[in-house]
Amino acid sequence: MTETKIALVTGANKGIGYEIAAQLAALGMTVVIGARDAHRREQAAKELNAESVALDVTEPETARQAAAWIDERFGKLDVLVNNAGITGGWGQEPSKVPLDVMRRVFDTNVFGVITVTNAVLPLLSRSAGARIVNVSSGVGSLTEMTGQYAAMPAGAAYPVSKTALNALTVQYAKELRESGILVNATDPGYCDTDLTEHKGFRTPAQGAAISVRLATIGDDGPTGRFFNDEGEVAW
Ligand SMILES: NC(=O)c1ccc[n+]([C@@H]2O[C@H](COP(=O)([O-])OP(=O)(O)OC[C@H]3O[C@@H](n4cnc5c(N)ncnc54)[C@H](OP(=O)(O)O)[C@@H]3O)[C@@H](O)[C@H]2O)c1
């Protein structure tokens, strides 16, 4: 089995995921870009000298096939960054949000994380010290949504999906505690990407840095916790 670390980043064909892939590759890892848009996926892989695999996190069969491809090619996985995410658009007041928007956002941001994580868990278990990073958001923090984000418009889909992702992070960390696989959630901050319609004031590279840090922590590092650039984020 190769000594080089292998990392899978979902939704890595643009935005923060692309920058996470670039920064992990710069550290010497072999990065696999998992994304659904074939053209952008190939383009990103070429630019980053990375590998790429078709992956729609809402389609379990593509996750199974991506895992089989990584297994055949590398025989293990060291880092999984669950970055793929969608907002579901505007108009998410709980009294008005269409249920299909709720389902679509949860399908990608929560169930997609379970789908991909479980598909590659046997490969992560073969790594000497695997790391899972779930790219969450400060708007999913119950503390922050009633604190610094209290004045933000109410949103039932995106923020609630990230709250669920945070809880899921804790549950995976609990289950995997004895395995040496460390599982943490990250908040990239408000970044200039398609997702924010380029209103964010941080660059995607700045947003990527905290996930790269958590993807490369030592064996004595934290698990089941939530971080941004400034430190730990309250749940
Ligand atoms: N930007 C911010 O300010 C901010 C703040 C906090 C948290 N975040 C989180 O950071 C992550 C990345 O966001 P971003 O701002 O970089 O957004 P982005 O530029 O819109 O990129 C999102 C990525 O996710 C992929 N994706 C969406 N649905 C997918 C699916 N079903 N299967 C596979 N890939 C899928 C997209 O691929 P396609 O090209 O195929 O659509 C794209 O590569 C998200 O989880 C987001 O919630 C962002």
Side-chain angles (χ1 to χ4, degrees), residues 90-121:
W90 300 104
Q92 297 188 358
E93 292 96 329
S95 63
K96 300 189 187 81
V97 68
L99 265 188
D100 69 302
V101 171
M102 291 295 299
R103 289 196 179 99
R104 207 157 46 79
V105 172
F106 269 70
D107 215 12
T108 303
N109 296 2
V110 185
F111 308 142
V113 171
I114 299 174
T115 298
V116 176
T117 304
N118 291 354
V120 300
L121 212 40

Side-chain angles (χ1 to χ4, degrees), residues 11-17 35-37 40 55-58 83-86 108 135-137 158 162 187-191 193-196:
N13 59 8
K14 63 175 181 169
I16 295 167
R36 54 186 178 173
D37 181 296
R40 275 205 302 270
L55 177 61
D56 182 331
V57 303
T58 67
N83 163 79
I86 58 169
T108 303
V135 182
S136 182
S137 170
Y158 182 72
K162 293 299 190 181
D187 170 21
Y190 193 37
C191 300
T193 65
D194 288 348
L195 184 136
T196 58

Side-chain angles (χ1 to χ4, degrees), residues 40-101:
R40 275 205 302 270
R41 187 178 71 234
E42 299 307 333
Q43 182 69 26
K46 207 165 129 195
E47 287 165 11
L48 299 178
N49 195 21
E51 304 287 339
S52 85
V53 68
L55 177 61
D56 182 331
V57 303
T58 67
E59 297 289 343
E61 183 53 24
T62 70
R64 198 192 61 73
Q65 285 177 8
W69 184 84
I70 293 169
D71 189 7
E72 197 177 302
R73 197 75 195 273
F74 305 108
K76 64 155 186 175
L77 186 65
D78 300 283
V79 169
L80 168 64
V81 183
N82 287 305
N83 163 79
I86 58 169
T87 64
W90 300 104
Q92 297 188 358
E93 292 96 329
S95 63
K96 300 189 187 81
V97 68
L99 265 188
D100 69 302
V101 171

Side-chain angles (χ1 to χ4, degrees), residues 152-168:
M152 267 179 72
Y158 182 72
V160 177
S161 75
K162 293 299 190 181
T163 311
L165 177 60
N166 288 350
L168 194 60

